[in-house]
Amino acid sequence: MNPETTALVLIEFQNDFTSEGGALHGAVQGTMESTGMLAHARTALEATRAAGATVIHSPISFEAGYHEITAHPYGILKGVVDSTAFVKGTWGAQIVEDVAPVEGDIVIEGKRGLDAFGSTNLDFILRSKGISTVVLAGFLTNCCVESTMRSAYEKGFEVITLTDAVGATSEAEHANAITYDYPMFSKPMTVAEYVATLRGAAVTADSSRGY
């Protein structure tokens, strides 16, 4: 893995998910604790910075009142609105201190939906920096991370998903996505495997679901 062409994209590591008192923390707390995903994400982040690879944060946020989206949301965005999550300028929308941006990191603006590419300039930034490998971590395993994974795959990037640095609203959804979906559209790795590869270890055999 070449750090110069690699970017770690951290999706929605925000207090409303990650922290006690966050609007949606209770929904993801179980998988966070069972996987230790926040500590693993911190490890991946530190290794990425140390290697000189690109770090990109992709938070989601809305103005109070959620006027950027439909007045009649459904599905996951209805849950966001109903819980008053990710409102700009609030503690809940802030990136958690464990993986907070530092000088040299990139913070993507404009994420209003699931796919981190959808309403942002993420694709432009990756291509302008010559990035060919996109490494994904964050929330939710089977929602924003998976949506971004699929888009990155379709756009021709090499995609790596960090299986122990993602979290979902249930163990079943988390496990299902990692077992059945991630291998179709990415190269799933643990953080330990990613760090070793970033430091020059040989890539293990491809475990993707080829047909």
Side-chain angles (χ1 to χ4, degrees):
M1 184 181 295
N2 181 1
E4 293 183 359
T5 59
T6 299
L8 173 65
V9 180
L10 299 168
I11 300 173
E12 296 178 15
F13 279 91
Q14 294 160 265
N15 287 319
D16 272 334
F17 270 144
T18 60
S19 306
E20 189 70 34
L24 297 171
H25 179 63
V28 299
Q29 186 174 7
T31 56
M32 286 187 67
E33 292 177 352
S34 68
T35 61
M37 62 87 72
L38 191 53
H40 287 144
R42 176 70 183 182
T43 297
L45 175 60
E46 291 174 346
T48 301
R49 287 174 177 155
T54 297
V55 173
I56 298 177
H57 301 265
S58 181
I60 189 171
S61 64
F62 303 90
E63 294 290 347
Y66 301 93
H67 302 298
E68 302 97 327
I69 59 175
T70 175
H72 305 286
Y74 63 96
I76 187 67
L77 286 179
K78 185 177 189 302
V80 169
V81 173
D82 289 349
S83 62
T84 322
F86 307 120
V87 175
K88 282 183 181 180
T90 67
W91 169 83
Q94 292 175 5
I95 295 173
V96 66
E97 185 63 30
D98 303 63
V99 294
V102 300
E103 185 177 356
D105 290 0
I106 298 167
V107 180
I108 296 294
E109 300 287 341
K111 189 174 187 297
R112 302 289 183 268
L114 313 184
D115 176 8
F117 288 94
S119 57
T120 75
N121 62 348
L122 176 59
D123 186 66
F124 171 82
I125 288 174
L126 293 172
R127 296 190 189 281
S128 69
K129 293 181 67 65
I131 301 299
S132 58
T133 300
V134 176
V135 184
L136 302 176
F139 299 92
L140 296 168
T141 310
N142 59 322
C143 185
C144 293
V145 176
E146 181 166 335
S147 294
T148 305
M149 170 192 71
R150 289 172 178 252
S151 285
Y153 182 87
E154 295 279 10
K155 291 175 182 294
F157 293 100
E158 177 187 36
V159 188
I160 293 170
T161 42
L162 301 181
T163 57
D164 54 355
V166 291
T169 58
S170 74
E171 294 286 353
E173 291 169 304
H174 176 77
N176 184 79
I178 289 173
T179 301
Y180 298 108
D181 297 341
Y182 278 26
M184 293 184 71
F185 307 103
S186 74
K187 299 175 181 178
M189 292 185 185
T190 64
V191 167
E193 290 170 333
Y194 163 64
V195 171
T197 305
L198 192 61
R199 292 173 177 169
V203 178
T204 57
D206 184 8
S207 62
S208 61
R209 294 178 64 192
Y211 292 96

Coordinates of all heavy atoms in Angstrom, one line a residue, residues 87-133:
V87 N -27.3 18.6 14.3 CA -27.6 20.0 14.0 C -26.4 20.9 14.1 O -25.6 20.8 15.1 CB -28.7 20.6 15.0 CG1 -29.0 22.1 14.7 CG2 -30.0 19.8 14.8
K88 N -26.1 21.6 13.0 CA -24.9 22.5 13.0 C -24.7 23.3 14.2 O -25.7 23.9 14.7 CB -25.0 23.4 11.7 CG -24.7 22.8 10.4 CD -24.7 23.8 9.3 CE -24.4 23.2 8.0 NZ -24.4 24.2 6.9
G89 N -23.5 23.4 14.7 CA -23.2 24.3 15.8 C -23.5 23.7 17.2 O -23.2 24.3 18.2
T90 N -24.0 22.5 17.2 CA -24.3 21.8 18.5 C -23.2 20.8 18.8 O -22.4 20.4 18.0 CB -25.6 21.1 18.4 OG1 -25.5 20.0 17.5 CG2 -26.8 22.0 18.0
W91 N -23.1 20.5 20.1 CA -22.2 19.5 20.6 C -22.3 18.2 19.8 O -21.4 17.5 19.5 CB -22.3 19.3 22.1 CG -21.6 18.1 22.6 CD1 -20.3 18.1 23.0 CD2 -22.1 16.8 22.9 NE1 -20.0 16.8 23.5 CE2 -21.1 16.0 23.4 CE3 -23.4 16.3 22.7 CZ2 -21.3 14.7 23.8 CZ3 -23.6 14.9 23.1 CH2 -22.5 14.2 23.6
G92 N -23.6 17.8 19.6 CA -23.9 16.5 18.9 C -23.3 16.4 17.5 O -22.9 15.3 17.1
A93 N -23.2 17.5 16.8 CA -22.6 17.5 15.5 C -21.1 17.5 15.4 O -20.5 17.3 14.4 CB -23.2 18.6 14.7
Q94 N -20.5 17.8 16.6 CA -19.0 17.9 16.6 C -18.4 16.6 16.5 O -18.9 15.6 16.9 CB -18.6 18.6 17.9 CG -19.0 20.0 18.0 CD -18.6 20.6 19.4 OE1 -18.0 19.9 20.2 NE2 -19.0 21.8 19.7
I95 N -17.2 16.5 15.8 CA -16.5 15.3 15.7 C -15.9 15.0 17.1 O -15.3 15.9 17.8 CB -15.3 15.4 14.7 CG1 -16.0 15.6 13.3 CG2 -14.4 14.2 14.7 CD1 -15.0 15.9 12.2
V96 N -16.0 13.7 17.5 CA -15.6 13.3 18.8 C -14.1 13.5 19.0 O -13.3 13.4 18.1 CB -16.0 11.8 19.1 CG1 -15.2 10.9 18.2 CG2 -15.8 11.5 20.6
E97 N -13.7 13.9 20.2 CA -12.3 14.3 20.5 C -11.3 13.1 20.2 O -10.2 13.4 19.8 CB -12.2 14.7 22.0 CG -10.8 15.2 22.4 CD -10.4 16.5 21.6 OE1 -11.4 17.3 21.3 OE2 -9.2 16.7 21.4
D98 N -11.7 11.9 20.3 CA -10.8 10.8 20.1 C -10.2 10.8 18.7 O -9.1 10.3 18.5 CB -11.6 9.4 20.3 CG -12.2 9.3 21.7 OD1 -13.1 10.1 22.0 OD2 -11.8 8.4 22.4
V99 N -11.0 11.3 17.7 CA -10.5 11.3 16.3 C -10.6 12.7 15.7 O -10.8 12.8 14.5 CB -11.2 10.2 15.5 CG1 -10.9 8.8 15.9 CG2 -12.7 10.4 15.5
A100 N -10.5 13.7 16.6 CA -10.8 15.0 16.1 C -9.7 15.4 15.0 O -8.6 15.0 15.1 CB -10.7 16.0 17.3
P101 N -10.1 16.3 14.1 CA -9.2 16.7 13.0 C -8.0 17.5 13.6 O -8.2 18.2 14.6 CB -10.1 17.6 12.1 CG -11.5 17.2 12.5 CD -11.5 16.8 13.9
V102 N -6.9 17.4 13.0 CA -5.7 18.2 13.3 C -5.3 18.9 12.0 O -5.8 18.6 11.0 CB -4.6 17.4 13.9 CG1 -5.0 16.7 15.2 CG2 -4.0 16.4 12.9
E103 N -4.3 19.8 12.2 CA -3.8 20.5 11.0 C -3.3 19.5 10.0 O -2.5 18.6 10.4 CB -2.7 21.4 11.4 CG -2.1 22.3 10.3 CD -1.1 23.3 10.7 OE1 -0.8 23.4 11.9 OE2 -0.5 23.9 9.8
G104 N -3.7 19.6 8.8 CA -3.3 18.7 7.7 C -4.4 17.7 7.3 O -4.4 17.2 6.2
D105 N -5.3 17.5 8.3 CA -6.5 16.7 7.9 C -7.4 17.5 7.0 O -7.4 18.7 7.0 CB -7.3 16.3 9.2 CG -6.5 15.3 10.0 OD1 -5.4 14.9 9.6 OD2 -7.1 14.9 11.1
I106 N -8.3 16.8 6.3 CA -9.3 17.5 5.5 C -10.7 17.2 6.1 O -11.0 16.0 6.4 CB -9.2 17.0 4.0 CG1 -7.9 17.3 3.4 CG2 -10.4 17.5 3.2 CD1 -7.6 16.6 2.1
V107 N -11.5 18.2 6.2 CA -12.9 18.0 6.7 C -13.8 18.3 5.5 O -13.9 19.4 5.0 CB -13.2 18.9 7.9 CG1 -14.7 18.6 8.4 CG2 -12.2 18.6 9.0
I108 N -14.6 17.3 5.1 CA -15.5 17.5 4.0 C -16.7 18.2 4.4 O -17.3 17.9 5.5 CB -15.9 16.1 3.4 CG1 -14.7 15.4 2.8 CG2 -17.0 16.2 2.4 CD1 -14.1 16.0 1.6
E109 N -17.2 19.2 3.6 CA -18.4 19.9 3.9 C -19.5 19.5 3.0 O -19.3 19.0 1.9 CB -18.1 21.4 3.7 CG -17.0 22.0 4.5 CD -17.4 22.2 6.0 OE1 -18.6 22.2 6.3 OE2 -16.5 22.3 6.8
G110 N -20.7 19.6 3.6 CA -21.9 19.4 2.7 C -22.6 18.0 2.7 O -23.5 17.8 2.0
K111 N -22.1 17.1 3.6 CA -22.8 15.8 3.6 C -24.2 16.0 4.2 O -24.3 16.4 5.4 CB -22.0 14.8 4.4 CG -22.5 13.4 4.3 CD -21.5 12.4 5.0 CE -21.9 11.0 4.8 NZ -23.2 10.6 5.4
R112 N -25.2 15.6 3.5 CA -26.6 15.8 3.9 C -27.3 14.4 3.8 O -28.5 14.3 4.2 CB -27.3 16.8 3.1 CG -26.7 18.2 3.1 CD -26.9 18.9 4.5 NE -26.4 20.2 4.4 CZ -25.1 20.6 4.8 NH1 -24.3 19.6 5.2 NH2 -24.7 21.8 4.7
G113 N -26.7 13.5 3.2 CA -27.3 12.2 3.0 C -26.4 11.0 3.4 O -25.5 11.2 4.2
L114 N -26.6 9.9 2.8 CA -25.9 8.7 3.2 C -24.5 8.5 2.6 O -23.5 8.3 3.3 CB -26.7 7.5 2.9 CG -28.2 7.5 3.4 CD1 -28.9 6.2 3.1 CD2 -28.3 8.0 4.8
D115 N -24.4 8.6 1.3 CA -23.2 8.5 0.5 C -22.3 9.7 0.7 O -22.7 10.8 0.4 CB -23.6 8.3 -0.9 CG -22.4 8.2 -1.9 OD1 -21.2 8.1 -1.4 OD2 -22.6 8.2 -3.1
A116 N -21.1 9.5 1.2 CA -20.2 10.6 1.4 C -19.8 11.3 0.1 O -19.3 12.5 0.2 CB -18.9 10.2 2.1
F117 N -20.0 10.7 -1.0 CA -19.7 11.3 -2.3 C -20.9 12.2 -2.8 O -20.8 13.1 -3.6 CB -19.5 10.3 -3.4 CG -18.2 9.6 -3.3 CD1 -18.1 8.4 -2.6 CD2 -17.0 10.1 -3.8 CE1 -16.9 7.7 -2.5 CE2 -15.8 9.4 -3.7 CZ -15.7 8.2 -3.1
G118 N -22.1 11.9 -2.3 CA -23.4 12.3 -2.9 C -23.5 13.8 -3.0 O -23.9 14.4 -4.0
S119 N -23.3 14.6 -1.9 CA -23.6 16.0 -1.9 C -22.3 16.8 -1.5 O -22.4 17.9 -1.0 CB -24.7 16.3 -0.9 OG -24.4 15.9 0.4
T120 N -21.1 16.2 -1.7 CA -19.9 16.8 -1.3 C -18.9 16.8 -2.5 O -19.2 16.3 -3.5 CB -19.2 16.0 -0.1 OG1 -18.6 14.8 -0.6 CG2 -20.2 15.7 1.0
N121 N -17.7 17.4 -2.2 CA -16.7 17.4 -3.2 C -15.6 16.3 -2.9 O -14.4 16.5 -3.3 CB -16.0 18.8 -3.3 CG -15.4 19.2 -2.0 OD1 -15.6 18.6 -0.9 ND2 -14.6 20.3 -2.0
L122 N -16.0 15.3 -2.3 CA -15.1 14.2 -1.9 C -14.4 13.6 -3.1 O -13.1 13.4 -3.1 CB -15.8 13.1 -1.1 CG -15.0 11.9 -0.8 CD1 -13.8 12.2 0.1 CD2 -15.8 10.8 -0.1
D123 N -15.1 13.4 -4.2 CA -14.5 12.8 -5.4 C -13.4 13.7 -5.9 O -12.4 13.3 -6.3 CB -15.6 12.5 -6.4 CG -15.0 11.7 -7.6 OD1 -14.6 10.6 -7.5 OD2 -15.0 12.3 -8.7
F124 N -13.8 15.0 -6.0 CA -12.8 16.0 -6.5 C -11.5 16.0 -5.7 O -10.4 16.0 -6.2 CB -13.5 17.4 -6.5 CG -12.5 18.5 -6.9 CD1 -12.2 18.8 -8.2 CD2 -11.9 19.2 -5.8 CE1 -11.3 19.8 -8.5 CE2 -11.0 20.2 -6.1 CZ -10.7 20.5 -7.4
I125 N -11.7 16.0 -4.4 CA -10.5 16.1 -3.5 C -9.6 14.8 -3.7 O -8.4 14.9 -3.8 CB -11.0 16.2 -2.0 CG1 -11.5 17.6 -1.8 CG2 -9.8 15.9 -1.1 CD1 -12.1 17.8 -0.5
L126 N -10.3 13.6 -3.7 CA -9.5 12.4 -3.9 C -8.7 12.4 -5.2 O -7.5 12.1 -5.2 CB -10.4 11.2 -3.8 CG -11.1 10.9 -2.5 CD1 -12.2 9.8 -2.6 CD2 -10.1 10.5 -1.4
R127 N -9.4 12.8 -6.3 CA -8.7 12.7 -7.6 C -7.7 13.8 -7.7 O -6.6 13.6 -8.3 CB -9.8 12.8 -8.7 CG -10.7 11.6 -8.7 CD -11.6 11.5 -9.9 NE -12.7 10.5 -9.7 CZ -12.5 9.2 -9.9 NH1 -11.3 8.7 -10.2 NH2 -13.5 8.3 -9.7
S128 N -7.9 15.0 -7.2 CA -7.0 16.0 -7.3 C -5.7 15.7 -6.5 O -4.6 16.2 -6.8 CB -7.6 17.4 -6.8 OG -7.8 17.4 -5.4
K129 N -5.8 14.9 -5.5 CA -4.7 14.5 -4.7 C -4.0 13.2 -5.2 O -3.1 12.7 -4.6 CB -5.1 14.4 -3.2 CG -5.5 15.7 -2.5 CD -5.8 15.5 -1.1 CE -4.6 15.1 -0.2 NZ -3.6 16.2 -0.2
G130 N -4.6 12.6 -6.2 CA -4.0 11.4 -6.8 C -4.3 10.2 -5.9 O -3.5 9.2 -6.0
I131 N -5.4 10.2 -5.2 CA -5.7 9.0 -4.3 C -6.3 7.9 -5.2 O -7.2 8.2 -6.0 CB -6.7 9.5 -3.2 CG1 -6.1 10.6 -2.4 CG2 -7.1 8.3 -2.4 CD1 -4.9 10.2 -1.6
S132 N -5.8 6.7 -5.0 CA -6.4 5.6 -5.7 C -7.0 4.5 -4.7 O -7.8 3.7 -5.1 CB -5.4 4.9 -6.5 OG -4.2 4.5 -5.8
T133 N -6.6 4.6 -3.4 CA -7.1 3.7 -2.4 C -7.8 4.4 -1.3 O -7.3 5.4 -0.7 CB -5.9 2.9 -1.7 OG1 -5.2 2.2 -2.7 CG2 -6.4 1.9 -0.7

